[in-house]
Amino acid sequence: MNLDNIVKELTLEEKITLLVGAGISKTILGAAGETRAIQRIAIPSVVLSDGPAGVRIYPARLSDKKTYITTAFPNAVLLASTWNIELIEKVGKAIGEEAKEYGVDVMLAPGLNIHRIPLCGRNFEYFSEDPLLSGEIAAAYVRGIQSVGVGATLKHFVANDQETNRFFINVIASERALREIYLRAFEIAIEKSNPWAIMAAYNKLNGRYCSQSPWLLTKVLREEWKYEGLVMTDWWAGDDPIEQIKAGINLIMPGDDNIVKRLLEAYKQGLLDEKTVNDRVSRVLNLVLKSLKYQGYTPSFKPDLEKHSEIAYEAAVEGFVLLKNDNALPLSSSARIAVFGKGSYFTVKGGLGSGNTYPKHVVSVVDGLRGRGITIDEELDNIYRKVLPSFWGNVDFMNSIRRSRIDLIKEADALGVSWLLIDFTEHMLEYLNNLHVPENFLDINVLEGIAYRNDVALITISRISGEGFDRLPLKGDFYLRDDEFDLIKKVSEVFHRFNKKVVTILNVPGPIEIDSWRDLVDAILVVWLPGQEAGRAIADVLLGRNSPSGRLPLSWPNNLYEIPTMRGFPGEPKNNPVKVVYGEDVYVGYRYYDTFNVEPAYEFGYGLSYTEFEYRDLEIRKENDMVKVKLKVINVGRYPGKEVVQVYIKPPQGRIDKPIQELKGFQKTKLLNPGCEEEVEIVIPIKYLSSFAEGKWTVERGIYEVRVGSSSRRIKLSGYLELENDICFDVSWNRTRCNEGN
Ligand code: BGC
């Protein structure tokens, strides 16, 4: 039966049933939800699972011998740091394959909110402060997932950029800020990947819940952007299911029978009409018909976990960002390494909440180094293993719990404990990893011995964050704790006295304060939350088997309060905010730093390599509605490496106030051996140069400076592009007349 016939065949009750989810999934344990089935005409229930770091389902089931292990991929902030479209598509495909083989029809990923404030508790699930980078990476991820027949969901639409009071906070933002930054990321991703679904956010936007906003869900999404897929609510979002359906929601999640009843009542009372119900349900059915479930695919329950762990490794390697390197890295493979810091033992793979994953293993920094045959200081290792015991036991015990999580779950089965235990265990372990065991327990004499017999010190600092809470502007989160600072200071003093180098690894969901200690150490490598292959990838980058090629997808602040968005954080009133005003307008991230001439600790797009690249022969051409930027990139250093070529455009001074420059295109090169070059061509649609004012998009006439560089502040070549006339577009990007000034 085709879609129209199915809609005709369904009773009104059945149609309304399909608009409401069937609750948390009972088919695939741990999956976040499923739709309702209509047995009578063989409409199956499709399963939806989180996302985004991998498929979040429970790794084992009661009374079932099979396992349902999934891969923990690096978190989104790391994926964006790769700036590598093909690689992210590959990650998306691997996630899609796991979903497919475990019977998941739709992934609730990727997350596409903007890093507006460095402390947002879910930034690890989001890509960047920039809408172009976010949108492009999200599109690649979606294309990957959908290439195997599994649906992807862009979330959370829109402006869910903080966790504090996320269920009801009212975001006040100008239409321009929304169009140019917050909506723009979604718009690009939709245009370039056609996702099966979009999830409306919890928060209110300019006074209305996103899930109940006709402006957002019907005017912008359907009428202007012509989006044809399904729109669902976030879980338990909003306060009125009738308004949700009327505003444009197709599927209320997770859903319960009460909501079905309320919608039926509303229909009977004439508050919902049949036309609306038909429109909403047709998109639910459209998705169901596309699903592997409906197509009759039988999951194998055997995804290729080996292959996927290699992809998780590959992505991790490319997303590490080398912030500083004073001749400390790469390490020689014969180097003797003294490994410090709890994070070296309990390396944090990913953030908490719905973005969590339950993999079979997480390779810690020490295990990663050992696995590569590196000599790490045994005595120090023994000290750590003795000092770290918590009330759960020692490190080996804790890691064995991690490994044998499956057995633990089976024991829970025997005890009749609820499935929630799995989540609890996972959270507990992550919590313990992060537990306050002071870092500065080493006696100075012991440290001297260690510095004497080793070549280099490695210190890992870890942080974790999760859904539901924002990070804290306090010691232990954004700032180093005193004992962490003390460890870095003492180790650096002693090692430097012996002429040995100190390398710091930041295993973090987002920026931490760095200014007070970065001069103490010789190298800083940001590994974000790198997924299950953490230690392997870290070891290989430290050893120079791979040159770091990650670049910051955000501006790394010196101090939190230099950022305008932080001044109003977390909203008004401060102690229990009901609203947050995006007073900075479009000046988010580097748009702020660059326009107002403030120096961040490390700028957007920044990241060092072991090698060096030269840029040559810049050509800029305008062809119809495209700007073509062509150049050569040559590896002039001593190591193989990849470069991320970034194009920023500085607009002319016109009528509209604009950021001094914005990212308009980028490309990562392939692996270039020393002496090798690549010709890079970056094509920028002219519409990307526009600003939103007075209800339309305008590219103002004048001279544009095209700046090509390796970061937003390391511009290596630049040229000009002159536009003689204004070019205007309506909200659907149709060319329109520019009235003023022409
Ligand atoms: C989160 C979503 C998630 C959903 C289902 C919500 O709390 O905000 O990102 O997909 O739960 O787990």
Side-chain angles (χ1 to χ4, degrees), residues 127 145 190 435 500 598 602 639 642 677 717:
F127 297 116
I145 291 184
I190 290 171
L435 195 76
K500 312 277 174 77
V598 179
Y602 295 102
Y639 296 88
K642 296 184 182 181
E677 65 176 48
L717 297 173

Side-chain angles (χ1 to χ4, degrees), residues 17 21 33 66 74 105 176 221 239 262 281 307 340 350 374 379 414 427 469 472 535 575 602 609:
T17 305
K66 284 205 289 289
D105 301 287
R176 177 176 180 199
L221 195 55
D239 63 357
R262 280 181 70 184
V281 78
K307 185 176 100 192
F340 298 89
I374 297 303
E379 209 176 305
H427 282 65
F469 306 93
L472 300 169
N575 57 349
Y602 295 102
S609 166

Side-chain angles (χ1 to χ4, degrees), residues 233-280:
T233 64
D234 199 344
W235 271 227
W236 301 282
D239 63 357
D240 186 339
I242 302 149
E243 267 199 35
Q244 288 178 328
I245 298 296
K246 281 165 69 178
I249 289 287
N250 303 97
L251 180 63
I252 297 178
M253 288 307 285
D256 60 46
D257 293 344
N258 254 334
I259 300 178
V260 177
K261 263 193 225 138
R262 280 181 70 184
L263 293 179
L264 275 170
E265 273 306 301
Y267 178 78
K268 283 181 198 142
Q269 290 166 9
L271 299 171
L272 259 185
D273 57 46
E274 189 165 0
K275 190 165 161 273
T276 308
V277 173
N278 284 347
D279 172 80
R280 303 301 184 263

Side-chain angles (χ1 to χ4, degrees), residues 32 50 56 122 155-156 166 199 202 234-235 354 467:
D50 288 303
R56 186 181 67 118
R122 292 183 87 174
K155 68 188 189 184
H156 310 89
R166 65 176 174 156
M199 185 191 290
Y202 285 128
D234 199 344
W235 271 227
S354 60
E467 182 178 343

Side-chain angles (χ1 to χ4, degrees), residues 221-502:
L221 195 55
R222 301 291 190 202
E223 294 170 13
E224 296 175 8
W225 296 357
K226 317 277 183 258
Y227 177 65
E228 294 288 348
L230 175 148
V231 184
M232 70 182 86
T233 64
D234 199 344
W235 271 227
W236 301 282
D239 63 357
D240 186 339
I242 302 149
E243 267 199 35
Q244 288 178 328
I245 298 296
K246 281 165 69 178
I249 289 287
N250 303 97
L251 180 63
I252 297 178
M253 288 307 285
D256 60 46
D257 293 344
N258 254 334
I259 300 178
V260 177
K261 263 193 225 138
R262 280 181 70 184
L263 293 179
L264 275 170
E265 273 306 301
Y267 178 78
K268 283 181 198 142
Q269 290 166 9
L271 299 171
L272 259 185
D273 57 46
E274 189 165 0
K275 190 165 161 273
T276 308
V277 173
N278 284 347
D279 172 80
R280 303 301 184 263
V281 78
S282 67
R283 295 181 207 264
V284 176
L285 286 166
N286 193 25
L287 181 138
V288 173
L289 298 194
K290 279 195 289 192
S291 70
L292 290 166
K293 188 75 54 40
Y294 188 80
Q295 310 278 333
Y297 183 76
T298 314
S300 66
F301 296 99
K302 286 197 191 80
D304 192 343
L305 296 174
E306 275 302 305
K307 185 176 100 192
H308 297 168
S309 70
E310 283 316 300
I311 295 173
Y313 160 85
E314 212 185 307
V317 162
E318 279 213 20
F320 296 167
V321 184
L322 183 61
L323 294 184
K324 168 173 180 170
N325 187 17
D326 288 345
N327 297 319
L329 293 174
L331 304 175
S332 120
S333 51
S334 59
R336 285 156 303 173
I337 308 181
V339 185
F340 298 89
K342 282 183 304 167
S344 299
Y345 289 82
F346 298 137
T347 311
V348 179
K349 72 176 194 310
L352 299 180
S354 60
N356 202 353
T357 42
Y358 313 118
K360 200 156 147 199
H361 64 254
V362 177
V363 184
S364 68
V365 174
V366 272
D367 288 347
L369 289 167
R370 281 223 173 86
R372 290 303 192 226
I374 297 303
T375 321
I376 68 167
D377 192 88
E378 289 293 327
E379 209 176 305
L380 179 60
D381 184 53
N382 284 333
I383 298 176
Y384 264 94
R385 285 170 192 280
K386 282 203 200 89
V387 172
L388 285 182
S390 62
F391 53 84
W392 275 77
N394 61 24
V395 176
D396 291 328
F397 176 69
M398 284 201 35
N399 277 332
S400 78
I401 293 182
R402 266 199 146 142
R403 276 192 295 274
S404 61
R405 195 175 296 141
I406 305 287
D407 297 331
L408 200 80
I409 290 159
K410 297 222 154 120
E411 274 169 37
D413 185 4
L415 292 170
V417 189
S418 116
W419 275 100
L420 281 176
L421 186 89
I422 304 170
D423 251 2
F424 174 75
T425 312
E426 183 71 20
H427 282 65
M428 199 62 194
L429 286 171
E430 296 294 3
Y431 170 74
L432 287 172
N433 295 350
N434 217 24
L435 195 76
H436 186 129
V437 177
E439 295 275 16
N440 56 345
F441 51 79
L442 287 164
D443 183 279
I444 198 83
N445 298 325
V446 177
L447 252 183
E448 279 174 349
I450 296 170
Y452 174 73
R453 61 178 184 262
N454 287 283
D455 300 310
V456 63
L458 195 67
I459 307 173
T460 307
I461 299 291
S462 290
R463 292 286 185 271
I464 194 161
S465 77
E467 182 178 343
F469 306 93
D470 285 316
R471 291 178 52 204
L472 300 169
L474 301 174
K475 288 183 182 175
D477 198 339
F478 184 74
Y479 299 94
L480 289 185
R481 287 193 315 267
D482 293 342
D483 56 289
E484 289 171 324
F485 184 81
D486 210 38
L487 174 74
I488 292 179
K489 191 158 171 267
K490 281 212 187 96
V491 168
S492 303
E493 262 169 28
V494 176
F495 271 70
H496 288 158
R497 233 192 295 139
F498 287 88
N499 256 326
K500 312 277 174 77
K501 300 282 185 184
V502 179

Side-chain angles (χ1 to χ4, degrees), residues 1 51 57 71 82 109 138 171 345 367 382 416 451 454 464 501 521 605 617 630 649 654 683 709 730:
M1 256 196 289
I57 57 173
T71 306
T82 68
V171 171
Y345 289 82
D367 288 347
N382 284 333
N454 287 283
I464 194 161
K501 300 282 185 184
V521 301
D617 305 339
K630 218 166 156 184
I649 296 196
V683 179
D730 68 13

